[in-house]
Amino acid sequence: MSRLSQYADDFFEDFNDDQIRVIGQPEKPDKPRSPMRWDVLMWIMVLIGIGYLTCLLVEPDFRPDWMKTKVESEETVTQAEETNTKQQEQEIGTAVGTSTPGFMEIRDTLINDIPLKLYIPYNADMTLQIGETDMQDPAIIFSAHAADVRADNGAIVGAFVLKGKPLSWGLSKKGFCAVIDGQVTIGMADNSPLFEEATEKGGYFFRQYPLVSDGALVENEPKGKSIRRAICDRNGEIFMVECLSRESYHDFAQALVDLHVTQAISLVGSSAYGWAVDHEGQLHEFGLQSNRSFYRKSKYQISHVVWRKR
């Protein structure tokens, strides 16, 4: 038997007469479906989520109403946390009305972890005064010690002019404050022509430690810590600042610089007594009231910065 015949016999051996076999290329079975790529789907969903969140943050109109309120409040909180510097760039004071009788706005703030109290005059003019300030005078809304005095004879330290009359001379401190024709000028100079001008025009002039000059901190020799006060000029706006914690001149001056004060000189600090009247007529005192009666009966020539209603 040939090999071909043997092959044919083997091929048809297990077939019945009613069966056929198709000879040719066998049919390829269907490929099983590959399982779903969950990792790819996950990345697609992540990208969609990122795109949606970007739209929420960048495009406010894309936010639903309930989210707008929440996001806006969070932005407000963030802005509030950054106010200690930016708030001072705004105009100091609260708009109470230009026709309101003179008063002092009293505001608390925090600069460099130093608590400060600001006394901002409205509809009032500044002058100087020697001796006790009359608290019963309804025109006076602020009083604070101005110039230092000598311990030996109680005389005023440094140049001082009261209503055009020089009461003291000297340059122990380079800072000065002049009030001439209702204009307050604060600065630092060895010799200021404003002393002579105040004398000629019936104005006021006194000297104290300089703290800020042209927006820059001024170092002073005393290095101890105490309650500090200063009369300040912030781009033409005059007000008094008191620190509520004991600070060095350096740290207090730095706080004033960060408050965006352009010029500042010291006032008598520590327990020196003073007071202010707010827009509701309430009296606010600082320092020790016992010092008030002490200076009243003493030899000391105490000067005051005084604001009166216009």
Side-chain angles (χ1 to χ4, degrees), residues 92 108 122 181 221 235 267 274:
I92 292 181
D108 292 304
Y122 283 86
D181 295 333
E221 185 176 348
N235 297 319
L267 294 178

Side-chain angles (χ1 to χ4, degrees), residues 23-127:
I23 301 174
Q25 293 290 337
E27 183 179 357
K28 295 182 180 179
D30 293 338
K31 291 184 178 180
R33 294 183 178 179
S34 60
M36 182 177 291
R37 297 293 302 275
W38 291 106
D39 55 342
V40 175
L41 181 60
M42 179 186 69
W43 280 109
I44 293 175
M45 294 177 66
V46 168
L47 292 175
I48 293 174
I50 292 174
Y52 181 70
L53 290 175
T54 301
C55 290
L56 292 179
L57 295 174
V58 175
E59 189 59 48
D61 294 338
F62 191 75
R63 304 169 187 163
D65 293 338
W66 65 269
M67 185 173 289
K68 287 180 182 179
T69 303
K70 181 178 180 181
V71 173
E72 288 171 359
S73 64
E74 290 175 350
E75 291 173 351
T76 302
V77 171
T78 300
Q79 293 172 358
E81 292 173 348
E82 299 173 353
T83 58
N84 277 343
T85 300
K86 292 184 178 179
Q87 182 183 18
Q88 315 315 325
E89 296 174 357
Q90 302 172 358
E91 182 178 359
I92 292 181
T94 303
V96 181
T98 56
S99 61
T100 305
F103 67 95
M104 299 297 289
E105 180 188 359
I106 302 172
R107 177 187 298 178
D108 292 304
T109 189
L110 187 70
I111 303 291
N112 304 334
D113 293 328
I114 297 177
L116 302 177
K117 190 176 288 289
L118 280 59
Y119 296 82
I120 306 121
Y122 283 86
N123 300 325
D125 295 314
M126 177 184 153
T127 61

Side-chain angles (χ1 to χ4, degrees), residues 247-292:
E247 303 294 339
S248 65
Y249 272 126
H250 176 91
D251 290 343
F252 182 50
Q254 184 61 60
L256 297 180
V257 170
D258 293 338
L259 193 64
H260 293 269
V261 165
T262 48
Q263 310 287 342
I265 64 170
S266 175
L267 294 178
V268 180
S270 187
S271 59
Y273 179 73
W275 49 273
V277 178
D278 65 19
H279 70 283
E280 295 180 346
Q282 297 296 317
L283 181 69
H284 299 259
E285 300 172 286
F286 49 87
L288 295 180
Q289 193 173 31
S290 59
N291 285 342
R292 179 186 174 202

Side-chain angles (χ1 to χ4, degrees), residues 128 130 156 158-169 179 194-206 301:
L128 297 179
I130 297 293
I156 296 173
F160 193 96
V161 178
L162 180 69
K163 293 183 179 180
K165 182 180 179 180
L167 300 182
S168 179
W169 292 260
V179 185
L194 295 180
F195 178 86
E196 287 77 14
E197 187 175 350
T199 302
E200 294 170 0
K201 296 184 177 180
Y204 305 85
F205 184 97
F206 76 98
Q301 199 171 16

